[in-house]
Structure formats: C-alpha cells, structure tokens
Amino acid sequence: MEIDLSRPILARNDQLASRNRERLEAAGVFALDVLASPGAGKTTTILATAALLRDRYRIAVIEGDIASKVDAEKVKAHGIPAVQINTGGACHLEADMISRALDALPLADLDLVIVENVGNLVCPTEFDLGQGARIVILSVPEGDDKPLKYPQIFALADAIVLNKYDTMHVFDFDEAAFRDAVRHLNGGAPIFPISAKTGEGVEAWVAWLSERVDSARDGGLQT
Amino acid sequence: MHEMGITAEVLSAVNDAAVKAGAVRVNLVRLTIGGLTAIMPDALQFAWEAMTPGTLSEGAVLEVREVGARSRCLECATEWEHDQYDRLCPSCGSFACEVLAGNELRIDDVDVDLPETT
C-alpha cells in the first residue's frame, strides 16, 4: 500500500522554529543567528557588538557548542547573560535547543538575543531556529574562496561580516574576488569589513543590527 | 555530517505513518532533495542503512530523487536553471530572484505491507 506523506523532512524543526519566532516577536526581542567556521571570531565579534550596544539594549547570548562552557563563561565574564547549549556531538543548533534556551532567559526584559551557532559552514544551513536574521562571519585568514566552497550559507545570509580585516596585509585575501563571488550568490546582503579586535568597522555593522533590533522592539510594543 | 539527523527525522515520520496505517513492513521510501541543500544523497543512504535495522523500515529501499536548481528573475521574469554558485539573472544581471526549485527536503511517499487478511 502506498502512503502519500508529502511533508518537509524538517517539518518538526520548522514548526518549533515558527513557535520560537512568534514568541520572540511577541516579546519584541530580535534574535540574531551567527554562523561561521571555528576560529573566525564569532565570540569576539559578539563581544565587540555587545560592547557598543549594551547601553542601548538589554542583550543575552545563546552559545552553541558541541561541548564545553568556554564561550558562555567568556561572555558572562563581560557581564552579559549567557546560556550554553551543548549539542553533544551535533554539528548545528536546532529549533528545539533554542526553545529550551529561551525558556532559561527573561525574554520580557531583553531586546536582543545573539545566538552563536556551532562553528560550521555546512550543517546549520537547513535548520531554521526562528531567528530574525542570519549573518555569516568570514575571517580574512580563511581565504577569499569560501563563498565558492560553501555557497548555500553565503546565499542565505542577511549580512556578511568580514572579520580580522586588520590582518589583510599579511594574507593573500583578494577582496574583489570575494565580493564578486558573494554578489553572484547573494546580491542583497551587505558586507561589513571589521576587526572585532581593534574595533575597526564595527560601528557600521552595529548600525545595521540596531535598525533591526529597533523595529523588532517597536513591533513588540504594538502587540 | 548532518545527514544522520535528517535521516532520523525521515525514519521517525515514516515509521509513525506505517504504524498509523497498521503496516507490518516498509518496502520503499521516496524523498526529493533539492540541489541547493547541503545534503549528500550518499550520506543519506549510509545513514539509512545504519539506522533502520530493528525498525519497521528494516530492509526498505530509500529512493532519493534529486532536483536541480531553478530560479525566476523578479525584474525581467526570466526563468533559468543554475548551479549553486551563480544566482544572478543571466538576462539582466539582477539578484532579485526567486528560487523556484532546489531547496526541497521532502518525504514524498512510502510503500508498506499490510498484514495478510484471510
């Protein structure tokens, strides 16, 4: 006997992601999903972002890692509330993990939740978390060819942060080739060259993010 | 290697449907996977063979239909097929394009055996 299922494989994740999104919208909280390779500077970029925004917004961080609490401890040491998710081997975060992390956060008292996904440029792409925007951080030492090797993640990004821009003179990073490859995948996403370490360029990136946090907050107030 | 997680979702949906139908065995499962997804059909097969033993789907064939990517330009209405890397409209160069096919991750249908009635 044939049974017609015709359903998305990730239906369960998609449903939970929609629920997360509704919950965040109702609370007027903007959630940012941060994707990058291990070592691209996700945590450092998050800390540099929070340093500029913490006087304006109430911020919390959800840290996704296969194991350890290193990142959450690092964020907490800066006085920012953080929840650590250990995926126990899984190479990406899923919507149910975010749902549980949101349970542990005082959503009514927050404006911005930054989700640091597991360091990986492949696996997180299929899993909606309920985020308001997704960004990819690429660091200069990784090379300008990454959009050619990991096209889907660059195609889905709402913005791209090019980190460790201060090391440009050391590496053979062809910025024009990088921008061209990104444009062929995703013409809509702005590219923000920054150095999370020196603070160079962080303001432009933060301005882009602030616009979105403000509009999520306004939306939350109206409901 | 997130194909393991994907396969676990497929297996649970298929086995649930089989139980609901009162089936004794799953013979065939058909999936459609788009060319823009980061899913390797070979890895799905491998995970399927590893995860099905001891379930209703033990021994079932996993048939994966791959779908190429196709987009439509929102500015000049051109429709074209493309690879993962170049998503600009080939006619007008616009990036305001809508993906029509290529993002599929779908369970289409399953074939099961019902208990023999006498």
Side-chain angles (χ1 to χ4, degrees):
Chain A
M1 183 182 84
E2 290 243 318
I3 307 172
D4 182 19
L5 283 176
S6 302
R7 55 158 265 179
I9 294 176
L10 295 176
R12 207 167 46 143
N13 185 76
D14 293 346
Q15 274 161 17
L16 287 169
S18 302
R19 213 173 300 160
N20 290 345
R21 190 166 282 121
E22 283 162 17
R23 218 169 140 188
L24 288 159
E25 275 171 13
V29 178
F30 188 76
L32 179 76
D33 183 16
V34 177
L35 302 157
S37 315
K42 288 185 292 299
T43 311
T44 311
T45 300
I46 288 169
L47 288 173
T49 303
L52 285 191
L53 290 179
R54 60 188 307 169
D55 293 337
R56 269 171 76 188
Y57 304 122
R58 297 161 298 172
I59 304 171
V61 175
I62 297 174
E63 287 289 346
D65 281 294
I66 288 176
S68 93
K69 290 191 282 191
V70 177
D71 283 348
E73 299 295 337
K74 214 185 282 177
V75 172
K76 280 184 195 161
H78 285 77
I80 299 160
V83 179
Q84 181 77 51
I85 299 174
N86 280 148
T87 63
C91 45
H92 58 272
L93 292 177
E94 297 188 9
D96 68 321
M97 302 174 189
I98 297 301
S99 166
R100 274 177 277 142
L102 292 180
D103 290 342
L105 288 172
L107 279 192
D109 300 324
L110 291 174
D111 302 307
L112 171 63
V113 173
I114 304 177
V115 180
E116 180 174 341
N117 216 310
V118 179
N120 187 322
L121 290 180
V122 183
C123 306
T125 50
E126 316 297 347
F127 296 88
D128 185 8
L129 303 179
Q131 73 283 343
R134 269 176 162 176
I135 64 158
V136 175
I137 302 175
L138 180 78
S139 64
V140 166
E142 292 171 71
D144 54 71
D145 57 355
K146 290 299 164 290
L148 301 175
K149 295 187 173 176
Y150 305 95
Q152 185 72 343
I153 208 148
F154 286 93
L156 293 176
D158 296 299
I160 294 160
V161 169
L162 180 57
N163 191 26
K164 307 188 190 177
Y165 202 64
D166 53 321
T167 68
M168 205 60 146
H169 63 286
V170 187
F171 296 96
D172 297 324
F173 189 96
D174 185 341
E175 190 176 346
F178 170 69
R179 286 180 178 271
D180 191 53
V182 169
R183 199 179 63 90
H184 280 78
L185 288 166
N186 183 342
I191 298 173
F192 297 105
I194 71 160
S195 166
K197 193 174 154 193
T198 68
E200 177 191 356
V202 177
E203 272 177 33
W205 142 245
V206 156
W208 181 92
L209 178 60
S210 301
E211 274 178 35
R212 280 144 188 88
V213 180
D214 286 340
S215 69
R217 196 158 62 163
D218 295 346
L221 287 178
Q222 280 158 16
T223 53
Chain B
M1 231 324 253
H2 54 311
E3 283 81 356
M4 215 67 174
I6 299 278
T7 304
E9 290 294 326
V10 173
L11 187 58
S12 115
V14 166
N15 285 347
D16 284 355
V19 166
K20 217 158 121 194
V24 291
R25 188 182 313 112
V26 177
N27 300 313
L28 173 70
V29 176
R30 288 199 187 89
L31 308 182
T32 298
I33 305 291
L36 294 176
T37 67
I39 303 294
M40 288 167 60
D42 283 355
L44 280 184
Q45 292 289 356
F46 178 81
W48 183 254
E49 281 161 33
M51 295 172 86
T52 46
T55 76
L56 280 174
S57 293
E58 178 161 359
V61 173
L62 184 71
E63 203 177 280
V64 180
R65 189 170 71 100
E66 294 176 64
V67 179
R70 208 172 73 246
S71 286
R72 175 171 50 219
C73 177
L74 297 175
E75 296 195 17
C76 75
T78 299
E79 266 191 47
W80 79 104
E81 288 176 2
H82 53 89
D83 59 15
Q84 291 190 58
Y85 305 101
D86 199 349
R87 305 191 189 177
L88 291 183
C89 172
S91 304
C92 72
S94 169
F95 57 74
C97 301
E98 176 192 10
V99 175
L100 299 175
N103 286 323
E104 294 81 356
L105 266 182
R106 193 175 63 230
I107 309 172
D108 295 319
D109 47 49
V110 294
D111 182 72
V112 299
D113 280 347
L114 295 179
E116 283 176 33
T117 46
T118 47

Short mmCIF file of all heavy atoms in Angstrom, two decimals, chain A residues 32-60:
data_model
loop_
_atom_site.label_atom_id
_atom_site.label_comp_id
_atom_site.label_asym_id
_atom_site.label_seq_id
_atom_site.Cartn_x
_atom_site.Cartn_y
_atom_site.Cartn_z
N LEU A 32 19.44 37.10 16.58
CA LEU A 32 20.43 37.06 15.51
C LEU A 32 21.17 35.73 15.56
O LEU A 32 21.73 35.36 16.59
CB LEU A 32 21.44 38.21 15.72
CG LEU A 32 22.55 38.30 14.69
CD1 LEU A 32 22.02 38.88 13.38
CD2 LEU A 32 23.70 39.16 15.21
N ASP A 33 21.15 34.99 14.46
CA ASP A 33 21.87 33.72 14.36
C ASP A 33 23.23 34.00 13.72
O ASP A 33 23.29 34.54 12.61
CB ASP A 33 21.04 32.74 13.52
CG ASP A 33 21.67 31.35 13.41
OD1 ASP A 33 22.58 31.03 14.21
OD2 ASP A 33 21.24 30.58 12.53
N VAL A 34 24.30 33.66 14.43
CA VAL A 34 25.65 33.95 13.95
C VAL A 34 26.32 32.66 13.50
O VAL A 34 26.51 31.73 14.28
CB VAL A 34 26.50 34.62 15.05
CG1 VAL A 34 27.92 34.86 14.58
CG2 VAL A 34 25.85 35.92 15.50
N LEU A 35 26.67 32.60 12.21
CA LEU A 35 27.26 31.40 11.62
C LEU A 35 28.68 31.70 11.17
O LEU A 35 28.94 32.77 10.64
CB LEU A 35 26.42 30.97 10.41
CG LEU A 35 24.96 30.69 10.70
CD1 LEU A 35 24.12 30.81 9.43
CD2 LEU A 35 24.81 29.30 11.28
N ALA A 36 29.56 30.75 11.37
CA ALA A 36 30.95 30.91 10.93
C ALA A 36 31.72 29.63 11.16
O ALA A 36 31.23 28.73 11.85
CB ALA A 36 31.62 32.06 11.69
N SER A 37 32.92 29.56 10.61
CA SER A 37 33.82 28.44 10.88
C SER A 37 34.34 28.57 12.31
O SER A 37 34.32 29.65 12.88
CB SER A 37 35.05 28.49 9.98
OG SER A 37 34.73 28.75 8.67
N PRO A 38 34.90 27.46 12.84
CA PRO A 38 35.60 27.59 14.13
C PRO A 38 36.77 28.55 13.97
O PRO A 38 37.51 28.46 12.99
CB PRO A 38 36.10 26.16 14.41
CG PRO A 38 35.30 25.26 13.52
CD PRO A 38 34.94 26.09 12.32
N GLY A 39 36.90 29.48 14.89
CA GLY A 39 38.06 30.36 14.86
C GLY A 39 37.90 31.62 14.03
O GLY A 39 38.84 32.41 13.90
N ALA A 40 36.71 31.83 13.45
CA ALA A 40 36.50 33.03 12.62
C ALA A 40 36.35 34.29 13.47
O ALA A 40 36.46 35.40 12.97
CB ALA A 40 35.27 32.85 11.73
N GLY A 41 36.10 34.07 14.78
CA GLY A 41 35.95 35.22 15.67
C GLY A 41 34.50 35.49 16.03
O GLY A 41 34.12 36.64 16.23
N LYS A 42 33.70 34.45 16.12
CA LYS A 42 32.28 34.63 16.47
C LYS A 42 32.13 35.27 17.85
O LYS A 42 31.46 36.27 18.00
CB LYS A 42 31.54 33.27 16.48
CG LYS A 42 31.32 32.68 15.10
CD LYS A 42 30.48 31.41 15.17
CE LYS A 42 31.18 30.24 15.85
NZ LYS A 42 32.42 29.80 15.19
N THR A 43 32.78 34.66 18.84
CA THR A 43 32.62 35.16 20.21
C THR A 43 33.20 36.57 20.34
O THR A 43 32.58 37.45 20.94
CB THR A 43 33.29 34.19 21.21
OG1 THR A 43 32.86 32.87 20.91
CG2 THR A 43 32.90 34.53 22.64
N THR A 44 34.36 36.80 19.74
CA THR A 44 34.97 38.13 19.81
C THR A 44 34.09 39.17 19.13
O THR A 44 33.93 40.29 19.61
CB THR A 44 36.37 38.10 19.15
OG1 THR A 44 37.08 36.99 19.67
CG2 THR A 44 37.15 39.36 19.45
N THR A 45 33.49 38.81 18.00
CA THR A 45 32.60 39.74 17.30
C THR A 45 31.35 40.02 18.13
O THR A 45 30.88 41.17 18.22
CB THR A 45 32.20 39.16 15.92
OG1 THR A 45 33.38 38.96 15.15
CG2 THR A 45 31.26 40.10 15.17
N ILE A 46 30.82 38.97 18.77
CA ILE A 46 29.65 39.15 19.63
C ILE A 46 29.98 40.09 20.78
O ILE A 46 29.22 41.00 21.10
CB ILE A 46 29.14 37.77 20.13
CG1 ILE A 46 28.49 37.01 18.98
CG2 ILE A 46 28.16 37.94 21.29
CD1 ILE A 46 28.19 35.55 19.27
N LEU A 47 31.15 39.90 21.37
CA LEU A 47 31.54 40.77 22.49
C LEU A 47 31.76 42.21 22.03
O LEU A 47 31.37 43.16 22.71
CB LEU A 47 32.81 40.22 23.16
CG LEU A 47 32.59 38.94 24.00
CD1 LEU A 47 33.91 38.37 24.48
CD2 LEU A 47 31.67 39.23 25.18
N ALA A 48 32.36 42.38 20.85
CA ALA A 48 32.59 43.73 20.32
C ALA A 48 31.25 44.40 20.00
O ALA A 48 31.08 45.61 20.20
CB ALA A 48 33.47 43.67 19.07
N THR A 49 30.31 43.61 19.51
CA THR A 49 28.97 44.12 19.18
C THR A 49 28.25 44.53 20.46
O THR A 49 27.67 45.62 20.55
CB THR A 49 28.17 43.02 18.45
OG1 THR A 49 28.90 42.64 17.28
CG2 THR A 49 26.79 43.52 18.04
N ALA A 50 28.31 43.64 21.46
CA ALA A 50 27.62 43.91 22.73
C ALA A 50 28.24 45.13 23.42
O ALA A 50 27.52 45.92 24.05
CB ALA A 50 27.69 42.69 23.63
N ALA A 51 29.55 45.31 23.28
CA ALA A 51 30.21 46.44 23.94
C ALA A 51 29.63 47.75 23.43
O ALA A 51 29.45 48.70 24.20
CB ALA A 51 31.71 46.38 23.69
N LEU A 52 29.32 47.81 22.14
CA LEU A 52 28.78 49.05 21.58
C LEU A 52 27.28 49.21 21.84
O LEU A 52 26.76 50.32 21.79
CB LEU A 52 29.02 49.10 20.06
CG LEU A 52 30.43 49.39 19.57
CD1 LEU A 52 30.44 49.66 18.08
CD2 LEU A 52 31.01 50.60 20.31
N LEU A 53 26.59 48.09 22.07
CA LEU A 53 25.13 48.16 22.16
C LEU A 53 24.56 48.01 23.56
O LEU A 53 23.37 48.23 23.77
CB LEU A 53 24.50 47.09 21.26
CG LEU A 53 24.63 47.31 19.75
CD1 LEU A 53 23.98 46.17 18.99
CD2 LEU A 53 23.99 48.64 19.35
N ARG A 54 25.38 47.65 24.52
CA ARG A 54 24.83 47.27 25.82
C ARG A 54 24.19 48.43 26.59
O ARG A 54 23.38 48.20 27.47
CB ARG A 54 25.88 46.57 26.67
CG ARG A 54 27.10 47.42 26.96
CD ARG A 54 28.16 46.59 27.63
NE ARG A 54 27.63 45.89 28.80
CZ ARG A 54 28.30 44.94 29.45
NH1 ARG A 54 29.48 44.57 29.01
NH2 ARG A 54 27.79 44.38 30.50
N ASP A 55 24.58 49.66 26.23
CA ASP A 55 23.92 50.78 26.89
C ASP A 55 22.55 51.07 26.29
O ASP A 55 21.71 51.71 26.91
CB ASP A 55 24.79 52.04 26.79
CG ASP A 55 26.07 51.88 27.60
OD1 ASP A 55 26.06 51.05 28.54
OD2 ASP A 55 27.06 52.55 27.28
N ARG A 56 22.36 50.61 25.07
CA ARG A 56 21.08 50.88 24.38
C ARG A 56 20.10 49.74 24.51
O ARG A 56 18.89 49.94 24.51
CB ARG A 56 21.36 51.10 22.89
CG ARG A 56 21.60 52.54 22.54
CD ARG A 56 22.08 52.66 21.12
NE ARG A 56 21.01 52.50 20.14
CZ ARG A 56 21.25 52.43 18.84
NH1 ARG A 56 22.48 52.44 18.39
NH2 ARG A 56 20.25 52.32 18.01
N TYR A 57 20.60 48.51 24.52
CA TYR A 57 19.72 47.33 24.52
C TYR A 57 20.08 46.38 25.64
O TYR A 57 21.23 46.31 26.07
CB TYR A 57 19.85 46.57 23.19
CG TYR A 57 19.59 47.38 21.96
CD1 TYR A 57 20.57 47.49 20.98
CD2 TYR A 57 18.37 48.02 21.78
CE1 TYR A 57 20.34 48.23 19.83
CE2 TYR A 57 18.13 48.77 20.64
CZ TYR A 57 19.12 48.87 19.65
OH TYR A 57 18.89 49.61 18.53
N ARG A 58 19.06 45.61 26.04
CA ARG A 58 19.30 44.54 27.00
C ARG A 58 19.59 43.27 26.19
O ARG A 58 18.77 42.83 25.39
CB ARG A 58 18.07 44.38 27.88
CG ARG A 58 17.79 45.67 28.70
CD ARG A 58 16.39 45.73 29.22
NE ARG A 58 15.41 45.75 28.14
CZ ARG A 58 14.09 45.66 28.33
NH1 ARG A 58 13.60 45.52 29.53
NH2 ARG A 58 13.27 45.69 27.29
N ILE A 59 20.79 42.75 26.36
CA ILE A 59 21.31 41.71 25.47
C ILE A 59 21.57 40.41 26.22
O ILE A 59 22.02 40.43 27.37
CB ILE A 59 22.65 42.18 24.83
CG1 ILE A 59 22.45 43.52 24.11
CG2 ILE A 59 23.21 41.13 23.88
CD1 ILE A 59 23.74 44.16 23.64
N ALA A 60 21.26 39.28 25.57
CA ALA A 60 21.68 37.98 26.10
C ALA A 60 22.27 37.17 24.95
O ALA A 60 21.98 37.43 23.78
CB ALA A 60 20.50 37.24 26.72
#
